[in-house]
Amino acid sequence: MSLQDRQTLPLDFFPKDGADPVEWVISDPPVAYEDAIAAMDSKVAEIAAGQAPERVWLLEHPPLYTAGTSADDADLIAPDRFPVYRTGRGGQYTYHGPGQRVAYVMLDLRRRRQDVRAFVAALEAWVINSLWSYHIRGERREDRVGVWVRRPDRGATVEDKIAAIGIRVRKWVTFHGISINVEPELTHFSGIVPCGVRNHGVTSLVDLGIPVTMAENDSVLRAEFEKLFGATELRTG
């Protein structure tokens, strides 16, 4: 999908009339990756069967690397540094760890709009709009996934990645989702080539001079999510 397509697709994914609010769940302690995947698989099956409301699950993971369906083994530079998990989401290698907010987005597109390309563009818009709350201009790129920030303080052509996006869809229910760097240890990304992009770096909100807490960022994410996807209801994790 071209950059122009991603910028012009209709982005609202509001549910059909009468749908329940999306469960908004926040887990405070870090969640083991295997446990998160198992919980997500179970919830997606319930949503697909019409037995559970949709859910957005916000969490952090212990330090680890994940390999998407397009991952190149040459991009795993330090295979013994952290656990490595093969996952069915789209994309290549990425890092998850403390200080990074992961949002697993489990929405039933049958209740909304059955357009996966537009859904990915809507996730990008969600991140970009959230960043703009801090007056940070996040941008899409034609040849790179995720959301990028220009760094003119480091050079005219320098750009860093601040957010990753990778999803799966099963029976029209989405899972996996986005990750935004709030205050992770940025050196942990050096064990991989993040998302297969060698010529650019990574950044975070704190690295950009925004001293935001995870809870404050969660509030921004929720407000901007509701503008594109509809009402949420806070639930305990």
Side-chain angles (χ1 to χ4, degrees):
M1 180 169 51
S2 71
L3 180 60
Q4 182 177 4
D5 287 342
R6 287 151 63 199
Q7 291 176 331
T8 58
L9 284 169
L11 300 179
D12 60 281
F13 267 83
F14 295 111
K16 298 174 183 177
D17 291 342
D20 292 330
V22 176
E23 293 182 337
W24 189 265
V25 179
I26 302 173
S27 293
D28 289 326
V31 178
Y33 191 75
E34 305 99 315
D35 294 343
I37 294 302
M40 209 170 12
D41 282 343
S42 176
K43 182 58 65 175
V44 165
E46 293 176 0
I47 294 170
Q51 298 172 349
E54 300 166 301
R55 171 173 290 191
V56 173
W57 184 16
L58 276 62
L59 53 82
E60 296 171 81
H61 286 304
L64 58 92
Y65 298 129
T66 65
T69 54
S70 302
D72 183 341
D73 288 343
D75 290 341
L76 181 59
I77 298 169
D80 299 323
R81 187 172 188 182
F82 298 125
V84 180
Y85 295 93
R86 301 282 172 177
T87 180
R89 62 156 175 81
Q92 303 183 49
Y93 279 103
T94 193
Y95 165 78
H96 296 310
Q100 181 192 73
R101 176 53 87 208
V102 174
Y104 288 135
V105 182
M106 291 163 269
L107 299 184
D108 188 346
L109 298 186
R110 296 169 301 180
R111 307 180 195 179
R112 296 169 178 271
R113 185 152 52 94
Q114 290 171 271
D115 188 332
V116 175
R117 295 191 309 163
F119 177 72
V120 172
L123 292 180
E124 290 176 328
W126 175 29
V127 173
I128 289 169
N129 295 345
S130 297
L131 292 174
W132 188 240
S133 297
Y134 309 111
H135 300 289
I136 294 173
R137 187 178 299 279
E139 300 181 41
R140 301 174 174 94
R141 287 293 175 264
E142 180 79 45
D143 58 340
R144 291 176 256 138
V145 297
V147 177
W148 298 81
V149 177
R150 298 176 190 264
R151 303 300 303 271
D153 54 315
R154 298 184 180 179
T157 62
V158 176
E159 297 180 349
D160 288 340
K161 189 172 189 177
I162 194 167
I165 297 171
I167 68 162
R168 288 188 70 183
V169 181
R170 182 183 298 155
K171 296 182 179 179
W172 287 107
V173 179
T174 68
F175 57 122
H176 295 274
I178 69 168
S179 60
I180 298 180
N181 297 331
V182 178
E183 192 179 8
E185 177 51 68
L186 294 179
T187 61
H188 287 181
F189 287 87
S190 65
I192 58 172
V193 178
C195 298
V197 179
R198 295 182 177 274
N199 298 323
H200 299 281
V202 291
T203 189
S204 68
L205 291 172
V206 171
D207 183 51
L208 293 171
I210 308 298
V212 64
T213 67
M214 194 68 76
E216 290 167 341
N217 188 62
D218 289 347
S219 295
V220 170
L221 286 174
R222 185 179 182 186
E224 295 300 331
F225 178 90
E226 291 186 335
K227 294 175 184 178
L228 292 171
F229 298 97
T232 64
E233 183 175 59
L234 186 63
R235 298 288 182 91
T236 58

